[in-house]
Structures are given as C-alpha cells and as structure tokens.
Amino acid sequence: MLRLKLAGIFCCEATAKVNSSSTETVEKKVNTMSADYSWDVQLSSLTALCPLDGRYWAKVKELAPFMSEFGLIRFRVLVESPEVPSFSKEAESYLQGLIDGFSINDALEVKKIEKVTNHDVKAVEYYLKQRCQSHPEIAKVLEFFHFACTSEDINNLAHALMLKEALNKVILPVMVKLITAICNVATANASIPMLSRTHGQPATPTTLGKEMAIFAYRLGREWREIAQAEILGKFAGAVGNYNAYLVAYPDIDWPQIAEEFVTSLGISFNPYVPQIEPHDYMAKLFHSIIQFNNILVDFDRDIWGYISLGYFKQITKAGEIGSSTMPHKVNPIDFENSEGNLGVANGGLSHLSTKLPISRWQVILFLLTKVQLQGIEKLQVNETSLIEDLNQTWEVLAEPIQTVMRRYGVPEPYEKLKELTRGRAVTKESIREFIKGLDIPTEAKTGLLNLTPHSYVGAAVELAENIETAISLANGVRLS
C-alpha cells in the first residue's frame, strides 16, 4: 500500500507498485497543482503564515488590540503628544478623540504614510500632523509633535503599554482562570486516593486532588511574580541626557517633566538610560513567564501520563476524530499541543531575555493557557482505575509499618520490610499476616491492620480542600 500525503493539503490513498511510472504520476499531480495555484492570495485564517493568526485565531484574538501592529501604532499615537501651553478643553477633547477613536482604517493610513517615509515612528508623527491641520488651535503647534524625541522615546513607552495592557486585561485574568480550573479539579477530587509514583515505581499513596493542588499552588506563586513585575519607561531623548530638550528650554526641569509624563501612563520611570530603555525589566518578566510555562509543561506531562494510566477518561464530543485510521482513539491532543508549543514559547522568551525586542510571546502563552483550559474541561476522573491500581500495590504500606516499628523499638524494621516486599508479590493477606506477628502495642497493631493503600494518604485530603485559601493567602491570587 502506498499512502501519499501531498503538502498536508489533500490525502491521496493509492494502491500501486513503487516504480518509476507511479513516481512520475505523483510528480505530475504536484506540478499540476502548483501550476494552477494562484499566489495572489488575500490574508485569511487559511492563508496566514503564522498559526496564531490562522487556526488559533479564535483563541488569541482578544490580544489583537494590544499585541498586534495595530496595537503598537495605537499606543504610539497615544504617546506622541505636543509639549505646549495648556490647550482649551475643546482642543484636548479633539486630541483625546484621536486616541479613543483610533481604528483599523487609521492604522492603515499610518501604514500608507510609512510606505513613503520608510520609517514607522515618523509615519505616526506625520499622521497626527495631518489629522490636526484642520484644528486651528492645534495647527499652530504641529511641530511640537515628536518634540526633541528619539524614536525609542515613543517605542519604549508604546511597548510598555502593550505589555501592561495585555497582561492586566487579558493574560493575567486567563492565568487565574487556569489556576481556578486546576483548583476545582483539586477540591472536587480531594479525597480520591491515588497511587503515587517515584522513579516510575509505585510509591506512598496520595489523593488525586492533592497532586492537582500542587500545580495550582506552584502556578499561583509564579502568577504573583508576573503580576508584580515593574514595567519601566524612559523619555530622555537621543542618548538619555535630555540634550535637545535643555538646548530648547534650558530652565525647565526636564527629568521631572519626563517622570511625570511616564508615570501618568501607569508606567514606572527609569531615570538612567542610554538611547534605549535597557529592557532589564522585560528580561526578568520573561524569565518569570518561562518558569510559569515550565510548570505547565510538567502539568501537561502528568495529565498525559494519568490519561495513559486510565486515571482520567476524556469526554468525547460528537463528530470529533482521534485518529484518521484507528476509530477507537481519543488522543490527549490538548495537552500534547500545549507541551510542544510551550517549548517553542520558552525558546522565544529565552532569546528575548537577551535580545529583548517586543515579540509575540504573549500570544503564544495566551493560546496555550486556553488550550489547557479546553483540555481540563474534557477530563473525567476514572475512579475505578485508580482503585484497581491501589488494590494491586499493598507494598506501599511497607513505609508506615516500618515507621511504626521504629517508634516501638522493633530492631531492623526497614530490613524486615525490605525482605518482605522487595521483588515479591505483596498482597493484603501477606501484609496483614506480617502485622499480626509484630511485637508492638495492640492499639498500634490495630491501626496498622485498618490501614489500606486507599486510606494511607496522610494530609492530602486537607491540603487539596484548602488549596484556594492557600493560594489566596500566599500569592494574592483571587480565584473566580
């Protein structure tokens, strides 16, 4: 059988002998398809080069007002403001209208100007001058747009606003939704016992809820780091010394004016800079996001493993297909997709931590957080599988038994349990027979006889049930 998949666009299944004639037929089909295809295509979800603007657009479009080029131009327009005596309220209203009413068509007008200037920031300046020429009051001071500014004065603040707005309005809230979803799984399954595994081997039991609570707490800590990140900005001219400002107006306290302007945007002021804002805050922020992503990778792998072990079933959806050839399959694709793309995101973040221009890291992170939420919604605990697993691993009680033996002075307790359990089949009966033969107080012996792999979970239930309170107290995350 020869299965030919051409360019990922169509699948041709043919039964053929692999010979020169069949190869020529395939090449002819490919060449014909290429010759007939029009390369003059319009941008759509199907023609987008980046999956974020294609197949994943529905999941990430909330970030478009902030992280797209439109968002960048919009924030540049906001930052570009003339330094002049106080405007009338009508003039202020007109300028504010340019900011509040900035649309896609306005951004396209800026791009049209950029085709002539070949300079993106200068295009914004010219756009504002054109829009304000008709206003008699503002027209008198048009040259105070971009007054004494270097492009980085505009760009660093626009980038900072993109980060601030995207984080506060979209990304951080979605992170909270993800943490909340994991907390809900933790509390709902707080008392469902589960066999732990260390080094891939059966280990001390826990509860499913407690293992989920661990991820919620870890993510909550990183959320706090990201939420508390200080976003910085500068407005100090070409080399950070206010040179042109001071030549034009030597008696003005320009560092004070710059600080007031930057902080009015909700951004912390960086007073010591070269031409650019050094982006140290971005490096720190990106490293925090890398760690958040690393925890999500760990979560993805654990959930994938639990699904493989049968601890979770996946809720099926009518019409969905798991495998193109194996009808029975329901693959954990949300978690596989998330894990793979988190690796790509972290690669970009790692690079940005040294190179540090604004890129599309936020979009990737936002996408993966939504994919994981989608995956979590499909999970259904398979308690039967969890119970069966525990029923077959009575050897995990070796730990509490030898610990109680130590308390009451029984010699070589670890060695005795090692002899009983290591490399041998351990059953409920063999464990109980061993306990009955111990020279320990009756009360302690009764306690051990009542112990099962299902009940030997320590404080896991309480830890899972209290996870929302723990996250709120430790990290300030308000879970919805």
Side-chain angles (χ1 to χ4, degrees):
M1 297 290 292
L2 178 65
R3 175 169 293 156
L4 308 172
K5 292 191 177 180
L6 304 180
I9 298 172
F10 67 94
C11 177
C12 172
E13 292 193 359
T15 303
K17 293 181 179 179
V18 182
N19 53 36
S20 58
S21 61
S22 64
T23 302
E24 289 171 3
T25 300
V26 173
E27 289 178 355
K28 185 179 293 184
K29 288 181 178 179
V30 173
N31 291 335
T32 300
M33 185 183 75
S34 299
D36 291 344
Y37 193 77
S38 171
W39 298 107
D40 185 19
V41 296
Q42 296 296 314
L43 177 64
S44 72
S45 62
L46 292 178
T47 60
L49 296 179
C50 174
L52 296 174
D53 296 319
R55 68 182 301 145
Y56 300 133
W57 174 247
K59 290 185 172 68
V60 302
K61 63 182 179 181
E62 292 171 62
L63 281 171
F66 310 110
M67 301 312 302
S68 61
E69 187 171 9
F70 164 74
L72 174 59
I73 295 172
R74 184 167 64 94
F75 284 121
R76 281 173 174 161
V77 168
L78 186 154
V79 173
E80 284 275 15
S81 57
E83 185 278 315
V84 293
S86 297
F87 280 127
S88 66
K89 288 188 176 181
E90 192 278 330
E92 288 179 358
S93 177
Y94 182 85
L95 288 171
Q96 190 63 46
L98 292 180
I99 296 168
D100 296 341
F102 193 80
S103 67
I104 293 292
N105 287 336
D106 294 319
L108 290 173
E109 185 62 32
V110 174
K111 294 299 290 183
K112 189 184 299 183
I113 298 170
E114 187 185 334
K115 287 181 179 179
V116 178
T117 63
N118 199 29
H119 194 288
D120 49 2
V121 176
K122 205 67 178 174
V124 171
E125 177 191 343
Y126 288 171
Y127 163 80
L128 286 169
K129 287 179 176 178
Q130 288 178 8
R131 290 296 303 270
C132 292
Q133 279 178 343
S134 60
H135 192 284
E137 184 178 353
I138 303 174
K140 295 175 182 178
V141 291
L142 290 181
E143 291 309 318
F144 281 92
F145 282 111
H146 206 74
F147 176 75
C149 293
T150 184
S151 292
E152 176 64 9
D153 284 333
I154 310 304
N155 280 338
N156 92 96
L157 294 177
H159 290 155
L161 288 168
M162 292 168 75
L163 273 171
K164 182 173 78 76
E165 295 299 300
L167 282 169
N168 292 338
K169 293 183 178 178
V170 183
I171 296 173
L172 287 169
V174 171
M175 286 179 171
V176 170
K177 286 183 180 179
L178 175 61
I179 296 169
T180 301
I182 297 174
C183 276
N184 291 341
V185 176
T187 53
N189 300 285
S191 58
I192 294 181
M194 183 181 84
L195 182 68
S196 290
R197 282 179 169 77
T198 57
H199 301 276
Q201 303 302 309
T204 302
T206 181
T207 71
L208 178 59
K210 159 61 175 15
E211 298 312 299
M212 295 298 101
I214 292 171
F215 287 108
Y217 192 79
R218 291 172 66 192
L219 290 169
R221 287 175 60 87
E222 292 310 314
W223 182 93
R224 179 184 62 188
E225 293 295 318
I226 296 166
Q228 293 179 350
E230 186 179 27
I231 294 178
L232 299 173
K234 56 86 68 172
F235 202 73
V239 293
N241 299 331
Y242 308 95
N243 304 53
Y245 295 98
L246 286 167
V247 168
Y249 292 97
D251 298 326
I252 290 180
D253 186 353
W254 283 108
Q256 179 64 31
I257 294 292
E259 181 173 3
E260 290 175 359
F261 172 60
V262 171
T263 56
S264 74
L265 299 173
I267 298 167
S268 297
F269 180 62
N270 188 348
Y272 291 94
V273 294
Q275 181 186 40
I276 67 168
E277 199 292 317
H279 306 315
D280 298 330
Y281 83 88
M282 288 188 189
K284 184 177 180 180
L285 173 62
F286 293 168
H287 279 300
S288 294
I289 294 169
I290 287 172
Q291 185 54 27
F292 190 93
N293 289 352
N294 286 338
I295 296 169
L296 291 182
V297 169
D298 195 16
F299 176 78
D300 287 333
R301 289 175 178 172
D302 273 19
I303 295 296
W304 189 97
Y306 292 152
I307 292 172
S308 179
L309 289 169
Y311 290 179
F312 282 114
K313 297 177 181 178
Q314 294 183 94
I315 298 171
T316 58
K317 189 175 180 181
E320 285 190 351
I321 292 171
S323 166
S324 63
T325 186
M326 294 175 279
H328 69 282
K329 296 196 72 181
V330 183
N331 295 329
I333 56 172
D334 293 313
F335 301 102
E336 293 170 341
N337 185 356
S338 173
E339 180 186 347
N341 281 292
L342 282 166
V344 174
N346 278 358
L349 286 165
S350 233
H351 169 69
L352 288 174
S353 295
T354 54
K355 188 64 178 171
L356 289 177
I358 290 291
S359 187
R360 301 182 70 173
W361 66 267
Q362 298 93 341
V363 183
I364 298 173
L365 170 65
F366 184 67
L367 162 68
L368 299 174
T369 304
K370 282 207 159 184
V371 167
Q372 281 164 326
L373 280 168
Q374 181 176 295
I376 290 171
E377 289 171 359
K378 294 179 182 178
L379 295 178
Q380 186 177 49
V381 176
N382 185 357
E383 199 167 347
T384 301
S385 180
L386 290 161
I387 291 171
E388 288 175 357
D389 228 6
L390 288 164
N391 285 339
Q392 296 173 13
T393 51
W394 281 80
E395 62 268 24
V396 299
L397 296 184
E399 179 188 42
I401 293 170
Q402 65 100 4
T403 302
V404 172
M405 290 168 67
R406 286 177 188 274
R407 175 184 176 184
Y408 292 106
V410 178
E412 299 184 336
Y414 178 87
E415 288 72 20
K416 286 182 171 67
L417 267 300
K418 177 182 175 184
E419 176 66 24
L420 174 70
T421 61
R422 192 168 180 132
R424 298 185 180 185
V426 179
T427 64
K428 174 181 178 180
E429 290 71 24
S430 63
I431 281 286
R432 290 176 63 83
E433 189 65 28
F434 180 85
I435 294 171
K436 289 176 181 177
L438 293 176
D439 184 17
I440 58 175
T442 301
E443 185 179 352
K445 186 177 293 187
T446 301
L448 289 177
L449 287 170
N450 289 332
L451 201 59
T452 69
H454 310 76
S455 63
Y456 179 49
V457 297
V461 175
E462 292 78 10
L463 288 167
E465 288 177 340
N466 295 329
I467 183 58
E468 291 186 17
T469 301
I471 289 176
S472 296
L473 290 176
N475 306 310
V477 183
R478 292 186 178 181
L479 302 178
S480 55

